[in-house]
Amino acid sequence: MDILELIKKRRSPRGFWDKDISDEDLEKLFEAARWAASSYNSQPWRFIYGKKSKNPEVFDSIFSILTEFNQAWAKAVPVLILSMATNKYEANGQDYKHSWHDLGLAVANIALTAESLGFNVHIMGGFDADKAREIFNIPDNIDPVSVIALGYGGLPGNLPLDIYKMEIAPRIRKEISEFAFDKPFTKI
Ligand SMILES: Cc1cc2nc3c(=O)[nH]c(=O)nc-3n(C[C@H](O)[C@H](O)[C@H](O)COP(=O)(O)O)c2cc1C
């Protein structure tokens, strides 16, 4: 598929079918993350993943740090991933200002690869980072950034009504003219 078509097709569902993600496909996602660009090739991304069918205790631990709203729909997914970024350059210990940016590039690779394989990711900022740090012994030089739900998106019919309404709402985007400019900002 054309890359732009794939990008436009990607979406973040909250309804999921009861279908597992294979280990092979999961590995493809991390392979896609591996090849993301990063500042000085520092590769700051770190992931802890929990698969209901393989390591349910890790799945449950990641699930336990989600907000109530996210738990309401994410309970249906087969895989949860905690995404993290190192916050110092390994080479010199300096602050790594672009580490979340670079993790984002890796996560975008994951999202598009999932889309190309026929399933979906849903990134969540709604989780308790302090609790994540405690449960997963995350050291100070690593920031917990997001939780990523993986699964086959769909409308299984058992979604709470408010979430169902979000699923069928139109996807809204800014016009290009609202964010891409060919001149400086106007002085005020
Ligand atoms: C960093 C980040 C945090 C997000 N946090 C949540 C969240 O906590 N709960 C949720 O349901 N969706 C969350 N989303 C999903 C966004 O709401 C979604 O990407 C946006 O509405 C655009 O929809 P689309 O991804 O289907 O195009 C998050 C997305 C990102 C990138």
Side-chain angles (χ1 to χ4, degrees):
M1 190 193 284
D2 176 63
I3 185 73
L4 191 53
E5 284 309 308
L6 189 73
I7 288 169
K8 286 184 177 178
K9 200 165 152 272
R10 184 216 54 80
R11 64 189 182 93
S12 306
R14 293 186 184 85
F16 290 89
W17 299 110
D18 183 15
K19 183 175 175 188
D20 206 358
I21 304 286
S22 71
D23 286 349
E24 293 74 34
D25 280 355
L26 193 54
E27 185 160 340
K28 282 180 193 165
L29 301 189
F30 292 128
E31 182 66 13
R34 227 181 129 215
W35 292 99
S38 61
S39 171
Y40 296 103
N41 197 20
S42 300
Q43 304 166 62
W45 41 83
R46 300 288 183 272
F47 301 102
I48 293 178
Y49 64 94
K51 212 177 162 187
K52 260 184 199 162
S53 62
K54 197 175 171 188
N55 55 344
E57 61 298 336
V58 177
F59 180 96
D60 290 346
S61 294
I62 301 176
F63 184 78
S64 76
I65 64 177
L66 296 177
T67 59
E68 211 175 307
F69 171 78
N70 286 331
Q71 284 185 342
W73 60 264
K75 62 175 181 250
V77 302
V79 182
L80 287 173
I81 304 175
L82 173 63
S83 90
M84 295 160 281
T86 56
N87 52 40
K88 305 270 184 235
Y89 284 106
E90 277 175 49
N92 57 16
Q94 300 279 325
D95 286 346
Y96 188 166
K97 287 191 190 154
H98 290 90
S99 72
W100 287 39
H101 172 281
D102 296 353
L103 168 68
L105 295 177
V107 173
N109 280 5
I110 288 177
L112 291 177
T113 302
E115 191 66 48
S116 76
L117 293 169
F119 57 95
N120 305 90
V121 317
H122 193 134
I123 302 159
M124 290 169 271
F127 75 101
D128 187 329
D130 293 335
K131 215 167 149 189
R133 195 174 280 295
E134 191 187 314
I135 292 177
F136 294 104
N137 304 317
I138 302 171
D140 289 346
N141 67 326
I142 295 182
D143 299 331
V145 178
S146 72
V147 174
I148 306 167
L150 295 187
Y152 286 84
L155 282 177
N158 52 1
L159 281 175
L161 186 61
D162 54 335
I163 297 182
Y164 175 80
K165 281 185 182 159
M166 293 167 93
E167 289 292 88
I168 57 170
R171 297 176 72 218
I172 297 163
R173 288 300 192 263
K174 290 185 196 298
E175 295 302 324
I176 295 173
S177 59
E178 293 178 82
F179 63 80
F181 313 107
D182 58 3
K183 55 181 190 292
F185 289 98
T186 312
K187 263 197 182 144
I188 38 173

